[in-house]
Amino acid sequence: MVPTPYHHGSLRDFLLSEGRQLLVEEGPQAVTLRGLAKRAGVSHSAPVRHFKDRDALLDAIAAEGFDELATALSAAEQQEDLHSRLSGYARAHVRFALENAALMDLMFSGLPRAGDSAAAQAAARFFAQGATMLGEDGHSRPGPLPFLLAGTLEGISSLASTGRLARDQVDEVTETAVTLLLPAIREQLDRRGRSSD
Amino acid sequence: MVPTPYHHGSLRDFLLSEGRQLLVEEGPQAVTLRGLAKRAGVSHSAPVRHFKDRDALLDAIAAEGFDELATALSAAEQQEDLHSRLSGYARAHVRFALENAALMDLMFSGLPRAGDSAAAQAAARFFAQGATMLGEDGHSRPGPLPFLLAGTLEGISSLASTGRLARDQVDEVTETAVTLLLPAIREQLDRRGRSSD
DNA sequence: ACCTGAACACCGTTCAAGT
DNA sequence: ACCTGAACACCGTTCAAGT
């Protein structure tokens, strides 16, 4: 077996996917540039060609995470009635978080270092998607509901993935959140629907 | 000035307070055992006497954080009517989070390594306090509302301290959360108040 | 363009030894 | 009991040099 040369960008892909896997399976302290280089069979300074530093790699992983999360949620958004749509969205969010705890942590609790980073842009797309589902047009400044929905789901996810909220109670808490948010969201959607102002 | 000897536990206090300050002001990567030892004017292996390893120090800092947060919230719990109580509790939580972002991150997103650690016990006290305010008796398993309240506040705090939720919208989102949670909480309190079952 | 290898300045952790 | 100093095995990052 000839060792793969990792030319033409394939090292970049390796760093991203292996880094992501290490992050989720062993935690953030396990993703090191030197360790990844060793796994790739490449010199310890090779990764720098593709990611300026460790933070740049983590930023790229976070960006992928936001895109993946958005994809995981988009199925729910196709649901016909509002309750199913919201409920499916919420459950998909929490499920993704439970399966990718350390990744979600990186995505949501990592202070965005630059507004124009890949992660910051992917995050903006993710939040815009949620706002759209709640009838925000994207022109004017979003109201409180998109933030409240995103925050609530993030909080429930965090409690669940740190084990503070028991697995068998996650669905109940999520559904309670949806039930309490639903009337306010419905009212907002009705209002926006009526006047196209 | 004779350099302080740091005998009899005063090094421990120094590591805790200086570590906490570094955490909040410069981020988690700034709190290193060697760096703290240098600041204390002590050999790099001295801290090990007081904290087994870096995680043990962070755990102790997190424990202090939970106790402090609980104290910051206890004032609001004295409020007479439910709405003021809940609203004050929520605003105090979010305010504390904005002033101690990296600390809150450590407290809430750090996966608890041991159930009997100081941080785990302090966290349990914190969550129990919230549950009590919502009329949970502590005997039976808590219902969804304490988790939903804690999760929502944590989520809003996280969005705010990462800059995704603008400062001047934080109060509006928090108050919306309180308004939507209030009827469910009131109903639960009424129910618990009526039947002492 | 992409990678290597040496170098530098940091880490955490362990352990024999000092007071 | 508390701290020192050397040692080991890791890091991130930089940079001249190779292909």
Side-chain angles (χ1 to χ4, degrees), chain A residues 77-89:
Chain A
E77 294 177 302
Q78 310 306 322
Q79 288 288 326
E80 188 60 27
D81 71 292
L82 180 61
H83 189 296
S84 318
R85 207 154 66 231
L86 204 60
S87 177
Y89 183 93

Side-chain angles (χ1 to χ4, degrees), chain B residues 52-137:
Chain B
K52 175 176 145 285
D53 53 25
R54 183 174 181 269
D55 279 343
L57 172 62
L58 292 178
D59 187 86
I61 292 175
E64 280 198 340
F66 274 114
D67 288 338
E68 241 184 85
L69 175 59
T71 302
L73 299 187
S74 58
E77 294 177 303
Q78 310 306 321
Q79 288 287 327
E80 188 58 28
D81 72 290
L82 180 62
H83 190 295
S84 318
R85 207 153 67 230
L86 205 61
S87 178
Y89 183 94
R91 280 183 280 114
H93 184 124
V94 174
R95 193 183 327 122
F96 185 88
L98 280 172
E99 287 164 359
N100 302 277
L103 176 62
M104 288 291 275
D105 208 59
L106 175 68
M107 290 156 58
F108 286 98
S109 80
L111 312 202
R113 12 194 89 263
D116 59 340
S117 76
Q121 290 181 265
R125 284 193 297 274
F126 165 74
F127 285 110
Q129 179 181 348
T132 300
M133 183 175 65
L134 267 54
E136 304 276 352
D137 54 10

Side-chain angles (χ1 to χ4, degrees), chain B residues 6 43-45 49-50:
Chain B
Y6 285 118
S43 96
H44 61 78
S45 46
R49 281 284 132 187
H50 301 97

Side-chain angles (χ1 to χ4, degrees), chain B residues 159-183:
Chain B
L159 290 177
S161 57
T162 55
R164 276 157 185 152
L165 169 58
R167 289 296 161 100
D168 64 1
Q169 243 185 322
V170 172
D171 285 346
E172 185 189 3
V173 175
T174 306
E175 201 51 42
T176 305
V178 168
T179 303
L180 295 185
L181 285 165
L182 193 57

